[in-house]
Amino acid sequence: MMKKTVVINVVGLSRRVIGEHTPFIKSFLEKGQSAVIKPVLPAVTCSVQSTYLTGKWPSEHGIVGNGWYVKDQCEVKFWQQSNKLVESKKIWDSLKEKDSNFTCVNHFWWYNMYSNADYSVTPRPNYLADGRKIPDCYSQPADLRDKLQNQLGTFPLFHFWGPKTTIKSSQWIADGAIKTDQLYNPTLSLIYLPHLDYNLQRHGLDFSKIATDLKEIDGVVEQLISYYQKQDCNIILLSEYGITNVNHPIHLNRILRKHGYLEIREERGLELLDAGASRAFAVADHQIAHIYLNDITVKDKIISILKNTDGIENVFTDEDLKTVNIDHHRCGDIVVVADKNAWFTYYFWLDDNKAPDYARMVDIHKKPGYDPVEMHTDPKDKFLIPKIIWKLLKKKLGFRTIMDIIPIDATLIKGSHGRIPESVDDYPVFISNNSSIELDKQLLATNIYDILQEHVIREG
């Protein structure tokens, strides 16, 4: 007989932010048992979640970041959704083999689509022919999407990412998880709550600015745990990484461009990165970046440039990549990790007037790297609100227009993640209400897979 278990992934939760602004989470921690998790490298969403759900390192499951350079297509692709990209057995596969009655719901954890989890829900907007992006989600079974949106309203996509991010998206996910549980009563529920990811990147660990966010997520967590406690569940609260303060953006592609390794195409007076034609280019992902080489003869020169770049802590290549468990054919030829106060941008243009149109938009799929500045609007634009209203009106009238309201100013970002922090207070956390399962004070990210299975298989 398996034990009903729920795993609530509160992004950005660390011991440093658990305290007076999170009274319920603090109480849950004190009543249960807890550990810190030494982050996987890179400590970014897709890599960490895949490690937790497979028990394997990125070198084995292949998720070397939130995105990477797809070499046979000569394109950088971020935030892909097919579960087939994860090259290792998932936790639900193993548990199904142990008990054919086991069922699992994946509620917004990444690589959600086309897996053999029994039930799943994930963001999936509609892209219309007239250029509009309509909020929506994807589910398995397909009618689960309709059941949830009929009861809860349309999934609030624009509150999930972008300058309008609020607690509404995490609240919808929590409400949807409860509705899904009532419909199907799965053995294992995986729930993703992204709310802290937003303002902790915008403002860093400035508690005068993030206190409200901490209180809001504390309330959502209380709602979920209170619901599942009534069912006598094993309840796990964990996170993927802690977010730390940064003040030094590093523009790797601009550095490579100035040394003559980057190729640019100009179209309509704007510049685009030509990855396939570049001798070398960087795929930036928070505090880690993959450097891909189309000309291997420049490798030593580029390593020298990177080692002499202010803000870079580590330069990994060859055998080093095996040591940090990231060597995989999707990985860059060189991987760099930022210093504690630095992070990497994808910026490749030298003149903002020639920046591509997507630079000033929320466009996670076109940008050849991660862009946290998408959570901001231009603070210098005095006419921002009228501009947004006018653009929305044009869209409703059927006119094509672009929502170019995102600034090109990396200094706006005050928090980041991806590297292994100096202090364990900034490590991700693991908290369980099951006192019968022994935890070491510090866990490896690969340990989580077995510990989750133990919660499901073993009675509390």
Side-chain angles (χ1 to χ4, degrees), residues 163-183:
K164 284 182 64 178
T165 52
T166 67
I167 193 63
K168 289 183 180 180
S169 62
S170 290
Q171 184 65 67
W172 193 100
I173 293 169
D175 293 340
I178 291 172
K179 296 290 184 185
T180 303
D181 186 76
Q182 293 168 345
L183 285 169

Side-chain angles (χ1 to χ4, degrees), residues 165-434:
T165 52
T166 67
I167 193 63
K168 289 183 180 180
S169 62
S170 290
Q171 184 65 67
W172 193 100
I173 293 169
D175 293 340
I178 291 172
K179 296 290 184 185
T180 303
D181 186 76
Q182 293 168 345
L183 285 169
Y184 304 113
N185 190 29
T187 317
L188 175 64
S189 296
L190 304 168
I191 304 170
Y192 175 71
L193 301 178
H195 183 60
L196 291 184
D197 213 22
Y198 310 141
N199 271 350
L200 265 69
Q201 289 189 69
R202 284 187 181 115
H203 306 301
L205 296 169
D206 183 342
F207 285 88
S208 68
K209 294 180 179 178
I210 65 173
T212 298
D213 300 277
L214 291 167
K215 292 174 183 176
E216 288 173 336
I217 201 65
D218 192 61
V220 174
V221 170
E222 181 176 9
Q223 173 196 3
L224 282 169
I225 290 180
S226 298
Y227 169 79
Y228 285 103
Q229 280 176 332
K230 294 176 183 176
Q231 302 184 58
D232 189 31
C233 296
N234 279 332
I235 301 172
I236 295 164
L237 204 59
L238 57 70
S239 56
E240 302 161 7
Y241 45 76
I243 293 176
T244 56
N245 293 328
V246 293
N247 57 20
H248 181 193
I250 303 171
H251 311 294
L252 288 172
N253 280 317
R254 288 176 175 173
I255 293 170
L256 293 173
R257 179 175 179 175
K258 289 175 182 177
H259 282 86
Y261 297 118
L262 208 70
E263 288 295 325
I264 298 295
R265 296 181 66 86
E266 187 168 312
E267 298 180 4
R268 297 175 294 107
L270 304 178
E271 295 182 342
L272 296 172
L273 171 64
D274 194 344
S278 297
R279 288 195 288 169
F281 63 95
V283 175
D285 196 356
H286 299 84
Q287 291 180 302
I288 193 169
H290 293 262
I291 313 298
Y292 293 90
L293 306 178
N294 289 316
D295 180 358
I296 201 68
T297 67
V298 303
K299 184 175 183 178
D300 290 341
K301 292 180 180 178
I302 290 177
I303 288 173
S304 178
I305 291 169
L306 295 170
K307 286 185 174 179
N308 286 284
T309 297
D310 183 37
I312 293 180
E313 180 180 56
N314 294 115
V315 180
F316 296 124
T317 187
D318 301 323
E319 291 300 313
D320 297 333
L321 296 173
K322 296 180 181 179
T323 303
V324 294
N325 302 301
I326 201 173
D327 58 308
H328 187 274
H329 66 84
R330 293 170 178 160
C331 181
D333 300 278
I334 305 166
V335 173
V336 292
V337 179
D339 282 335
K340 63 181 181 180
N341 68 330
W343 66 282
F344 300 117
T345 79
Y346 79 96
Y347 297 176
F348 52 83
W349 56 91
L350 304 179
D351 179 353
D352 284 353
N353 292 318
K354 291 190 173 184
D357 55 4
Y358 60 64
R360 293 181 171 87
M361 298 172 61
V362 176
D363 201 332
I364 63 173
H365 298 300
K366 286 184 180 177
K367 294 180 181 179
Y370 172 72
D371 184 14
V373 186
E374 288 186 343
M375 290 184 291
H376 285 272
T377 53
D378 191 344
K380 299 176 183 177
D381 190 344
K382 298 179 180 179
F383 302 101
L384 179 66
I385 300 302
K387 182 189 293 185
I388 292 173
I389 293 172
W390 172 238
K391 287 178 179 290
L392 289 173
L393 179 61
K394 288 173 69 176
K395 280 180 178 287
K396 288 183 178 181
L397 292 173
F399 294 99
R400 288 179 180 263
T401 186
I402 59 172
M403 194 64 71
D404 51 349
I405 59 173
I406 305 302
I408 302 175
D409 182 2
T411 64
L412 292 170
I413 297 302
K414 304 302 181 185
S416 191
H417 59 90
R419 65 194 296 276
I420 298 175
E422 280 73 19
S423 173
V424 296
D425 285 344
D426 297 310
Y427 280 17
V429 296
F430 186 100
I431 309 169
S432 170
N433 70 339
N434 189 326

Side-chain angles (χ1 to χ4, degrees), residues 79-132:
W79 305 110
Q80 301 177 81
Q81 298 217 51
S82 171
N83 194 260
K84 298 182 187 300
L85 291 168
V86 186
E87 297 176 348
S88 298
K89 182 186 290 188
K90 320 305 184 303
I91 190 169
W92 50 81
D93 297 314
S94 298
L95 290 169
K96 282 176 184 288
E97 290 173 359
K98 292 178 172 64
D99 185 342
S100 60
N101 293 317
F102 168 86
T103 56
C104 176
V105 58
N106 182 348
H107 214 75
F108 282 72
W109 285 50
W110 214 255
Y111 300 112
N112 197 309
M113 295 175 64
Y114 314 120
S115 81
N116 58 347
D118 301 274
Y119 317 104
S120 61
V121 190
T122 196
R124 188 68 165 180
N126 287 324
Y127 294 94
L128 304 188
D130 62 5
R132 286 180 294 159

